[in-house]
Amino acid sequence: CARGRRVAIVDFDVHHGNGAETAFYEDPDVLTISLHQDNLFPTGRGKVSEVGRGDGLGCNLNIPLPPGSGSGAYRAAFDQLVKAAVEDFEPDMIFVASGFDASAMDPLGHMMLSSDDYRYITDGIVALAETHCDGRLVMTHEGGYSEAYVPYCGLAVLEAMSGVDTGIEDPFISHIVEYGGQTLQPHQQAAIDEVAAHSAKIGKN
């Protein structure tokens, strides 16, 4: 495809990014990545075997993580899969569907992220944008249904994007990081390895 037209969409909302996947499933100029809870909503979507079709083959990456995944699983999935896919694709702009419903306090999801995990992921995406896109990055707020915790997750993302430390502390984080299973578990790494095995290498046309 012509340079200046490649777009990567990274969706870390707890639900599968079915809208972007459907819209761009056969488009080689758009890389769609969905990092989500396995089979949460919509059911039956977001399978690892769904990697694009036609000209878009290899340009759709689904990363369904087991319920109960926390910091270790998400950071490993980002470092091992998301970063590699974006680096291979070399986009000219990155869009992010920034959902906070994978937090440990969300009533709809069953994941265990803290605000610091959202900061970590955003730091990584900002670095990718600076390397490949001259900093062209758009982040949109999607889900997140904990009225008490979404503000701290959102603030972490804004601080990571701006480089500004507001000094506002997350009053819940000391409890969340102590939840059992926050480290990467063997079955979570197995899920990540399965994604890697199904994923076609993203081309550099």
Side-chain angles (χ1 to χ4, degrees):
C1 65
R3 299 306 300 168
R5 296 183 56 198
R6 279 196 159 188
V7 175
I9 301 174
V10 180
D11 186 334
F12 54 72
D13 185 271
V14 79
H15 306 101
H16 174 240
N18 57 300
E21 178 179 285
T22 299
F24 301 110
Y25 203 61
E26 299 185 36
D27 192 334
D29 296 338
V30 181
L31 169 65
T32 47
I33 302 174
S34 179
L35 181 57
H36 55 272
Q37 180 181 318
D38 188 18
N39 207 32
L40 176 60
F41 181 84
T43 55
R45 296 292 302 269
K47 299 175 183 177
V48 298
S49 57
E50 297 165 347
V51 295
R53 182 172 55 234
D55 291 340
L57 184 64
C59 292
N60 187 74
L61 180 65
N62 283 319
I63 309 171
L65 293 177
S69 294
S71 179
Y74 268 83
R75 294 186 186 210
F78 182 80
D79 290 341
Q80 296 176 35
L81 299 171
V82 177
K83 287 173 64 175
V86 173
E87 287 169 352
D88 283 342
F89 191 72
E90 295 184 331
D92 299 289
M93 179 174 286
I94 299 174
F95 284 84
V96 179
S98 173
F100 303 122
D101 38 13
S103 82
M105 296 183 65
D106 196 88
L108 298 185
H110 304 282
M111 300 309 217
M112 301 195 299
L113 296 189
S114 72
S115 60
D116 215 34
D117 296 313
Y118 287 107
R119 188 188 310 276
Y120 180 91
I121 292 171
T122 304
D123 280 337
I125 293 173
V126 168
L128 288 169
E130 290 176 347
T131 299
H132 298 287
C133 315
D134 293 327
R136 288 187 289 272
L137 171 64
V138 176
M139 298 194 67
T140 62
H141 180 195
E142 283 206 351
Y145 306 96
S146 170
E147 294 181 359
Y149 202 50
V150 164
Y152 296 102
C153 297
L155 179 62
V157 167
L158 291 172
E159 287 184 341
M161 290 181 69
S162 66
V164 174
D165 182 357
T166 64
I168 297 174
E169 296 184 3
D170 177 349
F172 303 100
I173 195 169
S174 61
H175 301 287
I176 293 173
V177 298
E178 295 298 326
Y179 288 177
Q182 282 287 14
T183 57
L184 177 64
Q185 305 296 305
H187 71 288
Q188 296 163 351
Q189 182 62 61
I192 292 170
D193 292 341
E194 183 181 2
V195 175
H198 277 84
S199 300
K201 185 175 176 61
I202 304 301
K204 298 181 181 180
N205 297 327

